[in-house]
């Protein structure tokens, strides 16, 4: 049976919607064939030819696969990357560590740094009793460390990345890229000159729910999209673990919580619709205890005439809602948390719940591939820059051009 | 038992939310007393004094009641108003006629006019076999007609109102006031000089659901409101009865369907938050078959720092959603169609479904009172002007300053 290893374009949305089990283990659509970890589709032009259509466990779009310099399959023996963790706060403990544990065949934590010794010690114990330090420069001098995960207050991103690149380490750094655009540009310059991989940890570009949305939109499931509405309304109490963080409460970075969390949504919107041009925005500080910016709404324009609104509130008392609606010429797609519903006139609405790990495993897996296999990857600093720049342009339209502690 | 006939301020939101039966027949809160059609509350300052608190069937806010020159109760014998109907389209048949039938003690249809003889004849039969004509000027010459209900294409509002006022008839005219601002100003000038009542039929200012929202907000149920989000996403098919109307398809008025329906929402928002200042808007024509404007979103600023978004889409394929959320410093109020939910942190969400006639009986009842009892009323042409002007200012921000057929 002749086979092509080229990836085929996405199937139509109908087939994608039939996968009610998991994105990680897709069931092959009717007429398709599964061989080990790959699903093949019959070639329409040449009967008898099967074309590789989708890989199990693949977080990649077909485009990214095509661009990769080396095509590795999951069966290849993987090189374990020795990782140093810089910053041991909530995100490191609760978001990164579980993902790294799930990918323990690919990552080994070998050193931990936090300026708070108690935190460093605690995290080092959680990571299996590895060495720890209260000075990340000490970690960077450790020759066993090949790559660092910088998951620290935003203002540390630039100095820590600079030092890590100078020490020849690969860098995986938490979004947002920086707290302001000049620093973000310095980050991009570092990435351009670095001989190591500089990776921005934007998990929404690997988020199973939002990748599924991307696939459905690309497959034309709702026709041509012309508008979206996305609102994320949360109630962050004063005693919330994130709200209690000093650098969040007294935010030096522009836009406080709104920027810190908002760049995720911008990243997803850019993935679906292309570059956004903010056209209007407003901003409020309803509860100054949780930072100088907690309420934000923007409208933006995307290529091909797509328009939409994105709003993020951290002060929606008693309310918790995350709802995206995309309007297309043939139907409407809505996402409420991890539940995607497609409505097409005259048909029964179809709903799929996508198992959702937040995209953390996906981003670490991509970072590992970028370091060990080389080639292109999605989460470049340039992408992180565009997420942040879009967010800050919208905030500027709303008159927010400085952080609370920046003295500007 | 000494009694005061002065109306008391609204009770707190908690009491209002307990009324799970009907706004028309409120149950008295604990400690209150009902006597015939009036509910009395105990006066806190003077024990033993009872203060009239709320009337059954009353659509009025306390303010309006206080301003009324004559206080009539529902027991008064009512004068029947002899009404001529100008225009016998969908709104006349399906929205106005049922309300007039429900208020048959207050209205008597005595003449019907439509430029389409078949429609006029049909409506005249539905109204009990009254005379009909294809020329509204003939109806205006009928001395039996005391008031007219103008429910015709928007462009007819000005000439028909002018002729009716000249003929000494009271005028009840369907929103929007006009298709453009110069005509709307002429309508206001007519109202100022008229010796008869000039009433704009804005049913949302009498809509039971939205009056309840107003009461809850006034009672401070969610603290101080600081933001709202209201989206009305409909799918108007090409064969929809409204979409098939010629004057809607080839709209001469600015903003087509969006203005025609949008002024309702503006009226409600103004009732809750005060005058709106549109700050940004965008507009689209996704399906040109249903008019030149079918998709609209605006952000606006209201007094006391309230900000919000309102969007109305007629092209949300397969989707039907009408959801308002108001964010306050103490809680969140949401309305999905006729279901109001109040969320206060630490308390169980409270939901009430408000029986909803669309507010048509309320507006006709107010018109009847204005004509027979005199005094102030809510739905003045000046109010209708502000609804329309707000809508058209937002449309202008989106670049829409002319109707499809206006040649501008």
């Amino acid at each position: 049976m002749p086979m092509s290893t080229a990836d085929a374009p996405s199937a139509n949305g109908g087939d994608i919607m039939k996968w009610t089990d998991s994105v990680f283990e897709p069931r092959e659509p009717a007429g398709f064939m599964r061989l080990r970890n790959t699903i093949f589709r019959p070639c329409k032009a040449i009967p008898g030819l099967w074309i590789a259509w989708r890989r199990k466990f693949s977080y990649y779009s077909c485009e990214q696969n095509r661009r990769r310099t080396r095509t590795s399959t999951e069966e290849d023996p993987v090189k374990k990357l020795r990782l140093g963790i810089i910053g041991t706060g909530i995100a490191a403990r609760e978001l990164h560590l579980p993902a790294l544990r799930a990918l323990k065949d690919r990552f080994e934590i070998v050193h931990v740094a936090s300026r708070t010794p108690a935190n460093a010690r605690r995290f080092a114990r959680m990571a299996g009793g590895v060495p720890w330090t209260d000075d990340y420069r000490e970690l960077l001098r450790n020759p066993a460390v090949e790559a660092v995960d910088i998951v620290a207050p935003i203002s540390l991103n630039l100095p820590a990345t600079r030092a890590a690149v100078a020490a020849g380490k690969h860098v995986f750094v938490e979004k947002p890229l920086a707290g302001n655009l000049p620093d973000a540009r310095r980050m991009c310059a570092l990435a351009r000159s670095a001989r190591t991989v500089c990776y921005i940890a934007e998990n929404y570009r690997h988020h199973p729910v939002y990748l599924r949305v991307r696939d459905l939109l690309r497959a034309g499931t709702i026709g041509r999209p012309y508008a979206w509405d996305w609102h994320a309304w949360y109630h962050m109490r004063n005693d919330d673990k994130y709200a209690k963080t000093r650098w969040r409460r007294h935010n030096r970075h522009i836009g406080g919580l709104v920027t810190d969390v908002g760049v995720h949504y911008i990243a997803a919107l850019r993935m679906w619709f292309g570059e956004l041009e903010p056209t209007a925005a407003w901003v409020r500080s309803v509860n100054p205890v949780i930072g100088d910016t907690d309420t934000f709404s923007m409208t933006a324009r995307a290529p091909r005439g797509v328009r939409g609104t994105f709003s993020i509130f951290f002060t929606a008392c008693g309310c918790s809602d995350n709802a995206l609606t995309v309007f297309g010429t043939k139907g409407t797609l809505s996402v409420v948390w991890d539940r995607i519903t497609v409505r097409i006139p005259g048909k029964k609405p179809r709903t799929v719940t996508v198992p959702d790990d937040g995209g953390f495993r996906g981003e670490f897996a991509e970072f590992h591939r970028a370091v060990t296999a080389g080639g292109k990857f999605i989460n470049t600093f340039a992408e992180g820059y565009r997420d942040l720049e879009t967010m800050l342009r919208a905030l500027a339209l709303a008159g927010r051009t400085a952080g609370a502690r920046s003295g500007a």
Side-chain angles (χ1 to χ4, degrees), chain A:
Chain A
M1 184 192 302
M3 281 195 190
S4 153
T5 52
D7 285 284
S10 290
N12 67 66
D15 290 327
I16 295 170
M17 290 301 289
K18 276 180 205 145
W19 301 356
T20 48
D21 41 2
S22 157
V23 277
F24 302 112
E25 299 189 81
R27 193 171 292 157
E28 59 272 27
F32 285 42
M33 182 187 66
R34 180 192 290 233
L35 195 65
R36 302 192 65 181
N37 278 326
T38 308
I39 297 171
F40 295 87
R41 67 169 178 86
C43 175
K44 281 178 190 158
I46 309 167
L49 179 72
W50 292 83
I51 297 170
W53 177 69
R54 189 172 279 260
R55 275 200 189 77
K56 203 173 158 183
F57 300 116
S58 170
Y59 292 94
Y60 279 86
S61 70
C62 308
E63 283 75 354
Q64 263 96 28
N65 275 334
R66 220 178 275 130
R67 276 196 232 113
R68 272 200 273 167
T69 48
R70 187 192 144 207
T71 311
S72 70
T73 66
E74 304 303 327
E75 287 82 24
D76 285 355
V78 287
K79 181 199 174 318
K80 229 178 202 177
L81 201 57
R82 292 189 305 271
L83 199 62
I85 309 284
I86 298 177
T88 56
I90 311 159
R93 283 196 307 273
E94 299 183 9
L95 306 176
H96 288 203
L97 190 56
L100 289 168
R101 280 175 176 158
L103 298 170
K104 59 176 187 278
D105 59 326
R106 280 172 258 191
F107 289 98
E108 184 187 354
I109 297 173
V110 295
H111 209 152
V112 168
S114 167
R115 56 186 170 180
T116 316
N119 281 357
R121 196 182 310 122
R122 178 182 166 202
F123 192 96
R125 209 167 36 233
M126 289 168 80
V130 299
W132 61 269
T133 167
D134 60 359
D135 179 1
Y136 71 82
R137 283 162 299 188
E138 190 187 319
L139 179 149
L140 292 176
R141 282 192 295 270
N142 180 350
V145 171
E146 296 170 282
V148 288
D149 173 8
I150 303 170
V151 53
I154 298 171
S155 58
L156 203 71
N157 280 2
L158 178 59
T161 300
R162 184 180 282 138
V165 165
K169 315 292 187 193
H170 300 286
V171 175
F172 178 96
V173 60
E174 189 56 28
K175 46 47 60 190
L177 194 61
N180 56 65
L181 282 188
D183 279 1
R185 278 190 286 269
R186 287 180 194 110
M187 290 287 273
C188 290
L190 275 173
R192 279 193 299 272
S193 64
R195 283 165 301 113
T196 51
V197 169
C198 287
Y199 187 96
I200 182 78
E202 180 43 79
N203 51 302
Y204 272 34
R205 272 190 281 268
H206 287 283
H207 197 294
V209 177
Y210 304 141
L211 290 180
R212 185 70 72 94
V213 169
R214 181 202 60 187
D215 291 346
L216 288 164
L217 294 179
R218 279 196 189 159
T221 314
I222 59 163
R224 191 174 48 76
Y226 65 86
W228 84 81
D229 179 274
W230 200 356
H231 60 249
W233 296 332
Y234 308 117
H235 183 196
M236 188 171 272
R237 290 156 185 273
N238 293 350
D239 60 355
D240 178 277
K241 59 189 175 188
Y242 287 103
K244 282 198 293 188
T245 321
R246 208 184 137 65
W247 65 268
R248 286 193 177 89
R249 284 206 169 195
H250 305 279
N251 59 294
R252 196 188 291 267
H253 60 286
I254 305 167
L257 276 170
V258 158
T259 299
D260 193 13
V261 183
V263 289
H264 285 308
Y265 296 80
I266 301 287
L269 288 166
R270 290 183 53 242
M271 176 167 77
W272 300 323
F273 303 119
E275 292 306 330
L276 304 185
E277 186 197 333
T279 50
W282 61 267
V283 85
R284 287 288 300 272
S285 169
V286 176
N287 177 12
V289 173
I290 60 172
D292 80 334
T293 313
D294 53 35
T295 304
F296 169 81
S297 176
M298 69 178 262
T299 54
R301 184 188 284 143
R304 286 174 292 281
V306 181
R307 303 291 291 255
T309 300
F310 161 58
S311 68
I312 185 161
F313 296 1
F314 288 96
T315 48
C317 291
C319 176
S320 180
D321 197 19
N322 184 333
L324 163 78
T325 311
V326 183
F327 302 88
T329 48
K330 288 182 187 163
T332 304
L333 180 152
S334 64
V335 184
V336 179
W337 301 105
D338 57 355
R339 216 176 61 245
I340 304 175
T341 302
V342 170
R343 290 183 177 82
I344 307 285
K347 293 187 182 176
K348 260 181 69 173
R350 289 174 303 164
T351 295
V352 60
T353 300
V354 180
D356 163 21
D357 78 329
F360 297 103
R361 273 177 290 160
E363 61 179 3
F364 275 110
E366 187 187 40
F367 176 60
H368 179 272
R369 249 184 322 253
V371 170
T372 58
K376 297 217 176 193
F377 53 91
I378 315 176
N379 273 339
T380 59
F381 276 16
E383 286 292 317
Y385 179 85
R386 282 195 282 272
D387 298 337
L388 180 67
E389 195 241 356
T390 306
M391 191 73 227
L392 295 187
R393 269 166 62 201
L395 281 163
L397 286 176
R400 195 70 100 223
T401 52
R405 275 172 56 196
S406 56

